C-alpha cells in the first residue's frame, strides 16, 4: 500500500535477503542487562536495529593516505579491534607482551574492568571516499559508488559548517556507558594514526529514538517524546522495504547495508522555553505529556490528519512537524531514526549550545531523507526553533560475516 | 600529624561543626539504586561528599542585574526548584494550571517520567559576585568576601581561556542520568532569564574520582585509576580538617561550606597514546593495571616515596604526579577531588578535544589547591601531556536547612 516508488518490486527483491544471516540484535540480553554484549558478526551491521543504546560517540574521519593497501589494512585492523571491543575485550594489550613495557600500549586502558555495555560500532563510507571534491578517484572505487549515495542537496535554511560536516569514513559508537563509546572511538583513532585523521566528532548524552518495541520512548530537549512513529526492529517486512538495501538496488557490495544521514540540529531552547504549551504542541502535532497525536488519545494511536477541532481547523496543523514528516505526505517514505540529545557547552551569547544529533537509516536517501527534509525545510513550523549546522551522508555496508571478513571487503576486492 | 598550618587549632574549632546537622549523603540508597533521590536539605550542600555520580553538567552564570532584590529572589526561586528537582519532581508544571495552556511551561519536560537519579545541585559564588573586576561592590556584599576566596594566581603553563573561566555563580549538577543533570541546569537557566546569563557550561560524561569507600575507583582518559588517594566521605575527622569551613575560618556565612576549584584540563591523548607503558607509569607514579604506587603491590597501599629500584633511583620518580601532589610534600594539604572526563568533539587539527574537568573541594584554596598546583605546574612530568584551559573558583555556602531557607541566605541578609 505504501507509495514509495518501486517499493513493491524492491520488496520482492529484498525477499532474497531473508535468506541471509539476519542480525537480530540481541534484543533480550539488552533489555535485561545494559552491561551485556551485542553480537558483532552478522548479515547486517549492529547499531542500526539494535535497540538504541543510551549514549553515543560519533566520529567522522578524513583518509589521509593515497594508498589503497594502507586503507584496506586499516579496515582489517579496525574490524578486528571492533570485534574485540564490542565483546568487552580491550583493543589490544595495555602493556607490551611478556611484561616488557617498552612499547606504547595497544589499548588505552580507560575501559579496563568495565562490561561491554551494549557497545556497537557501525561504519559508513562517505561520498568523498569514492571521489574527492576535485573529482579524483582516490582508491579506484569511484565506479562502485552507489547512485543512492548522491550528495545531499542544499535545503532551505541550511546553516551547515563544513568543518563539522561530511567525512570519508564515519563510525557510530553506541553504548550504555559513555566511557565505553569514547574508549572505542579513541582506540580506532589511535589505530588509524597516519592513515586517517579525526575530522569531527560528536557526543550524544541521551538517546531520543527507540528502535524496538521493547523500549520506552525517550524525550528530546524540546521535552517531547521522540521516536513514537519510528521504524522498529520487530517489523522485518517494513525493514526490508524501507531500511535494508536489497540485491538489485545498486552495487552488490551494499546489499544488506543501509544509508545513514546525520544532521546536527541546534535547538534554540531558550526561545522554545518561552513558547506556550499550546503553541509547542501545535508545532509538533502531538501533545507533550502523553505524546499522542493531536485529536487522538494515546501515544501509539494512528494520527488522524483529517480530524478537525471545534473551530473547524485541522487538529494537526498544516505546518505541524508530524504531518509534514508522515509517510502519507511523503510517498510512503519512512526512516529508522536513531538520534541523540547533545549539549556542547554554551555559545558565548548566554545560551546553551544544545540540540539533537539526528541520525536516520534508510534504503535510499533520495526517496526518504531528502524527500522528507525538502518538505520540512520549507514548511515545518519547527524551523523557527532549530538550525541544521552539520550534515553527513554515509553508505553503511552489510555486516561482517566472521573473523576472515572485514568492514567493506566487498567494496575493495 | 598533618603539617597544614593551623590544622590542629582549626581542627578543634571545626569540632564545633560536628554539632551541626551533618549531611551524610544517602550513601546506602545511592549504592544500591542509581535512580534514588539524594536529600537536598542538610548542614552541608549535597554533591560534595555525596558518592560521585556518573555524569556532570556544570554551569557558570554571569549576573546581569544590578538589583540585589532580583538576585535574592532568583536564589529563592532556584532553591525551591532545586529542592523539587533533586527529589524527582519537575521544576514546575509542564502546562499552566487548570489545563489552560496559554503560558510557557514551568518545566521543560525532558525529564518527565525519569527517576531522581541521584541528582545533586551544588551552588558556588565566585569572587566577581562580591566585587567586579573594576572594583565595584555590586550587591553590597564586598565586605563579606572571604579571604580564602582570593583570586587564584597565574600558574606556570596556564593556557586559560577567559570566556570559559570564572563566573559570578556556578551550579554543579551531578546525576546518574545525564538527561537529569542537563534538565536541571537548563531549568535553572530558564528560571534565571533576565537576571543571569549562561557564561559557560561543561558536560562531563564519566566520573573520575570516587568520594566514598563504597565506590570502585574509576579511570581517567589516560587510562589510570583516579581518586585512589582522595578524601572520602567516611573520614569525618579529616573532612572537618580539610574540607569543611569551620567557625572562625572567615565570615560566618561560609561556616559548614567549602571552596570549589574547577580546572578544565585538556589532555593530549594522541601524544599520550604513543608513550610506552613504562613511561606512563613513571609519569603518574602508579601502575596502570592495579593502580598501586610504584614499589607497592596494591591500589590502597600507602606510597613509599623513599623506596628505590634496583638501579638506586627512586621507585616513584622525583617529578611523578603522585609524589608532587602528595600531602607529605604539600604541608599536609589534601583535596576532595570530584572530576569528570570530557570529550568536546574534535579540535580541527585531527585530534579529539578531550580531557579532565577537574573539580576539587577544600577548606582553604590558598593552602590546598594553590599550594599543590604551584608545585605541579612547575615540576609535574604530566605537564607535557596536559593544558589547563579554564579555571574557576567558588565559595560554596553551607546547606539549605529547610523550606524557609535558601541558597546563600546568610550572605545576603
Ligand atoms: C530538532 C529537530 C527535530 C525535532 C525536535 C523532532 C521531533 C519530532 C517529534 C517530537 C516527533 C513525534 C514523535 C515521533 O514519532 O517520533 C517527530 C516525528 C518524526 N520526525 Fe522529527 N524532529 C526533528 C527533526 C526531524 C528531521 C530532520 C526529520 C527528517 C528529515 C524528521 C523526521 C521525522 C519523522 C519521519 C517523524 C515521524 C512522523 C510520523 O510518521 O508520524 N524529524 N519528530
Ligand atoms: C589531567 C590532569 C590530571 C591527571 C590525569 C591526574 C591523574 C592523577 C592520578 C592517576 C592520580 C593517582 C590516583 C589517585 O590517588 O587519585 C592522581 C592523584 C592526585 N592528584 Fe592528580 N591528576 C591531574 C591533575 C591534578 C591536579 C590539577 C591536581 C591539584 C592541583 C591534582 C591533585 C592530585 C592529588 C592531591 C592526588 C593524590 C596524591 C596522593 O596523595 O597520593 N591532580 N592524579
Amino acid at each position: 500500500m505504501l507509495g514509495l516508488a518501486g517499493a513493491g518490486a524492491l520488496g520482492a527483491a529484498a525477499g532474497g535477503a531473508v535468506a541471509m544471516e539476519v542480525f537480530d540484535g540481541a534484543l533480550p540480553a539488552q533489555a535485561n542487562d545494559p552491561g551485556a554484549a551485542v553480537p558483532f558478526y552478522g548479515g547486517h551491521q549492529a547499531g542500526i536495529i539494535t535497540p538504541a543504546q543510551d549514549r553515543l560517540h560519533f566520529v567522522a574521519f578524513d583518509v589521509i593516505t593515497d594508498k589503497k593497501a594502507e586503507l584496506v589494512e586499516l579496515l582489517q585492523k579496525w574490524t578486528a579491534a571492533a570485534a574485540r571491543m564490542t565483546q568487552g575485550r580491550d583493543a589490544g594489550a595495555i602493556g607490551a607482551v611478556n611484561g616488557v613495557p617498552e612499547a606504547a600500549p595497544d589499548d588505552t586502558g580507560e575501559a579496563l574492568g568495565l562490561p561491554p555495555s551494549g557497545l556497537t560500532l557501525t561504519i559508513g563510507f562517505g561520498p568523498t571516499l569514492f571521489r574527492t571534491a576535485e573529482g579524483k578517484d582516490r582508491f579506484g572505487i569511484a565506479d562502485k559508488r552507489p547512485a543512492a549515495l548522491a550528495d545531499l542537496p542544499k535545503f532551505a535554511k541550511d546553516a551547515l559548517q563544513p568543518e563539522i560536516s561530511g567525512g570519508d569514513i564515519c563510525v557510530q559508537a553506541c553504548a550504555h556507558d559513555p566511557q565505553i563509546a569514547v574508549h572505542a572511538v579513541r582506540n580506532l583513532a589511535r589505530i588509524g594514526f597516519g592513515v586517517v585523521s579525526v575530522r569531527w566528532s560528536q557526543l550524544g548524552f541521551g538517546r531520543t529514538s527507540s528502535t524496538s518495541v521493547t523500549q520506552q520512548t525517550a524525550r528530546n530537549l524540546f521535552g517531547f517524546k521522540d521516536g513514537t512513529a519510528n521504524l522498529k526492529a520487530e517489523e522485518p517486512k517494513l525493514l526490508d522495504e524501507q531500511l535494508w538495501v536489497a540485491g538489485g538496488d545498486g552495487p552488490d557490495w551494499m546489499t544488506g547495508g543501509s544509508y545513514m544521514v546525520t544532521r546536527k540540529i541546534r535547538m534554540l531552547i531558550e526561545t522554545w522555553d518561552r513558547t506556550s504549551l499550546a503553541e509547542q504542541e501545535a508545532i509538533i502535532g502531538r501533545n507533550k505529556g502523553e505524546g499522542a497525536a493531536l485529536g487522538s488519545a494515546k501515544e501509539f494511536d494512528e494520527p488522524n490528519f483529517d480530524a478537525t477541532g471545534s473551530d473547524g481547523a485541522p487538529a494537526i496543523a498544516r505546518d505541524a512537524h508530524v504531518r509534514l514528516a508522515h509517510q502519507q505526505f511523503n510517498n510512503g517514505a519512512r526512516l529508522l531514526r536513531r538520534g541523540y540529545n547533545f549539549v556542547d557547552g554554551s555559545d558565548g551569547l548566554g545560551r546553551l549550545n544544545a540540540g539533537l544529533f539526528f541520525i536516520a537509516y534508510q534504503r535510499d536517501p533520495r526517496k526518504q531523507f531528502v524527500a522528507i527534509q525538502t518538505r520540512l525545510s520549507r514548511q515545518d513550523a519547527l524551523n523557527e526553533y532549530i538550525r541544521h549546522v552539520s550534515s553527513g551522508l554515509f553508505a553503511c555496508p552489510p555486516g561482517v560475516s566472521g573473523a576472515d571478513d572485514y568492514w567493506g571487503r566487498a567494496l575493495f576486492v
Side-chain angles (χ1 to χ4, degrees), chain A residues 100-256:
Chain A
V100 187
E102 268 121 41
D106 284 328
D107 182 87
T108 54
E110 71 272 20
L112 281 176
L114 299 178
S117 307
L119 176 67
T120 55
L121 294 166
T122 313
I123 200 167
F125 303 124
T128 49
L129 188 70
F130 297 85
R131 211 184 269 285
T132 61
E134 296 74 39
K136 188 167 168 222
D137 179 4
R138 310 156 76 185
F139 303 109
I141 54 171
D143 59 343
K144 289 194 172 177
R145 175 172 171 176
L149 195 71
D151 292 322
L152 299 180
K154 188 169 165 14
F155 298 103
K157 304 180 193 71
D158 267 0
L160 305 182
Q161 298 164 16
E163 66 281 9
I164 53 169
S165 295
D168 295 334
I169 303 184
C170 79
V171 177
Q172 169 200 279
C174 297
H176 292 293
D177 181 339
Q179 185 102 347
I180 291 293
V182 166
H183 170 262
V185 165
R186 186 251 192 102
N187 277 276
L188 295 180
R190 183 184 54 71
I191 295 168
F193 180 73
V195 181
V196 293
S197 161
V198 173
R199 180 178 174 86
W200 55 276
S201 114
Q202 179 69 46
L203 247 66
F205 66 78
R207 72 170 171 93
T208 54
S209 301
S210 34
T211 57
S212 160
V213 297
T214 61
Q215 299 190 289
Q216 276 212 302
T217 318
R219 289 180 186 271
N220 62 35
L221 292 182
F222 283 161
F224 278 75
K225 288 190 187 171
D226 202 331
T228 305
N230 207 12
L231 284 176
K232 303 273 157 89
E234 292 81 4
E235 308 169 309
K237 226 180 128 268
L238 264 180
L239 299 184
D240 280 340
E241 191 181 284
Q242 301 268 353
L243 178 67
W244 303 123
V245 176
D249 278 6
D252 276 350
W253 68 269
M254 269 299 286
T255 305

Side-chain angles (χ1 to χ4, degrees), chain A residues 52-407:
Chain A
Q53 300 94 326
D54 292 337
R55 323 282 169 228
L56 168 79
H57 191 182
F58 189 95
V59 63
F61 294 101
D62 286 330
V63 178
I64 55 176
T65 182
D66 288 330
K67 303 203 178 62
K68 180 171 168 176
E70 283 184 10
L71 175 57
V72 168
E73 194 193 330
L74 175 61
L75 290 167
Q76 290 166 337
K77 283 193 200 159
W78 269 1
T79 308
R84 291 181 60 92
M85 293 192 288
T86 54
Q87 303 314 300
R89 292 152 70 204
D90 310 315
I94 73 146
V97 234
N98 304 325
V100 187
E102 268 121 41
D106 284 328
D107 182 87
T108 54
E110 71 272 20
L112 281 176
L114 299 178
S117 307
L119 176 67
T120 55
L121 294 166
T122 313
I123 200 167
F125 303 124
T128 49
L129 188 70
F130 297 85
R131 211 184 269 285
T132 61
E134 296 74 39
K136 188 167 168 222
D137 179 4
R138 310 156 76 185
F139 303 109
I141 54 171
D143 59 343
K144 289 194 172 177
R145 175 172 171 176
L149 195 71
D151 292 322
L152 299 180
K154 188 169 165 14
F155 298 103
K157 304 180 193 71
D158 267 0
L160 305 182
Q161 298 164 16
E163 66 281 9
I164 53 169
S165 295
D168 295 334
I169 303 184
C170 79
V171 177
Q172 169 200 279
C174 297
H176 292 293
D177 181 339
Q179 185 102 347
I180 291 293
V182 166
H183 170 262
V185 165
R186 186 251 192 102
N187 277 276
L188 295 180
R190 183 184 54 71
I191 295 168
F193 180 73
V195 181
V196 293
S197 161
V198 173
R199 180 178 174 86
W200 55 276
S201 114
Q202 179 69 46
L203 247 66
F205 66 78
R207 72 170 171 93
T208 54
S209 301
S210 34
T211 57
S212 160
V213 297
T214 61
Q215 299 190 289
Q216 276 212 302
T217 318
R219 289 180 186 271
N220 62 35
L221 292 182
F222 283 161
F224 278 75
K225 288 190 187 171
D226 202 331
T228 305
N230 207 12
L231 284 176
K232 303 273 157 89
E234 292 81 4
E235 308 169 309
K237 226 180 128 268
L238 264 180
L239 299 184
D240 280 340
E241 191 181 284
Q242 301 268 353
L243 178 67
W244 303 123
V245 176
D249 278 6
D252 276 350
W253 68 269
M254 269 299 286
T255 305
S258 192
Y259 294 93
M260 181 206 297
V261 172
T262 66
R263 305 284 286 188
K264 180 170 176 175
I265 309 177
R266 171 84 190 272
M267 289 170 155
L268 309 178
I269 59 173
E270 292 79 6
T271 318
W272 181 260
D273 288 350
R274 293 198 290 280
T275 307
S276 74
L277 179 63
E279 176 75 10
Q280 292 182 1
E281 295 184 335
I283 291 168
I284 298 293
R286 288 182 174 267
N287 70 24
K288 200 167 182 177
E290 164 69 21
L294 297 182
S296 306
K298 289 281 163 198
E299 183 188 351
F300 292 101
D301 290 351
E302 263 307 308
N304 177 352
F305 294 108
D306 302 324
T308 49
S310 49
D311 57 355
I316 300 174
R318 277 183 230 290
D319 60 356
H321 181 68
V322 297
R323 177 190 289 270
L324 297 168
H326 195 266
Q327 54 179 314
Q328 192 177 316
F329 307 100
N330 292 287
N331 208 19
R334 300 191 61 188
L335 296 167
L336 184 116
R337 286 172 286 144
R338 216 177 188 289
Y340 285 82
N341 297 322
F342 74 84
V343 173
D344 292 350
S346 61
D347 68 357
L349 300 169
R351 298 178 304 207
L352 293 176
N353 185 353
L356 174 67
F357 188 73
F358 176 93
I359 303 178
Y361 289 92
Q362 59 228 280
R363 186 170 164 191
D364 189 337
R366 296 169 299 177
K367 297 175 187 163
Q368 294 166 275
F369 177 80
V370 173
I372 301 170
Q373 178 58 15
T374 299
R375 184 175 301 271
L376 290 178
S377 66
R378 292 185 185 146
Q379 303 175 48
D380 193 349
L382 208 49
N383 289 335
E384 206 179 318
Y385 303 90
I386 62 177
R387 294 283 173 281
H388 288 239
V389 296
S390 126
S391 180
L393 171 69
F394 302 94
C396 303
V400 173
S401 61
D404 53 350
D405 192 12
Y406 61 89
W407 273 334

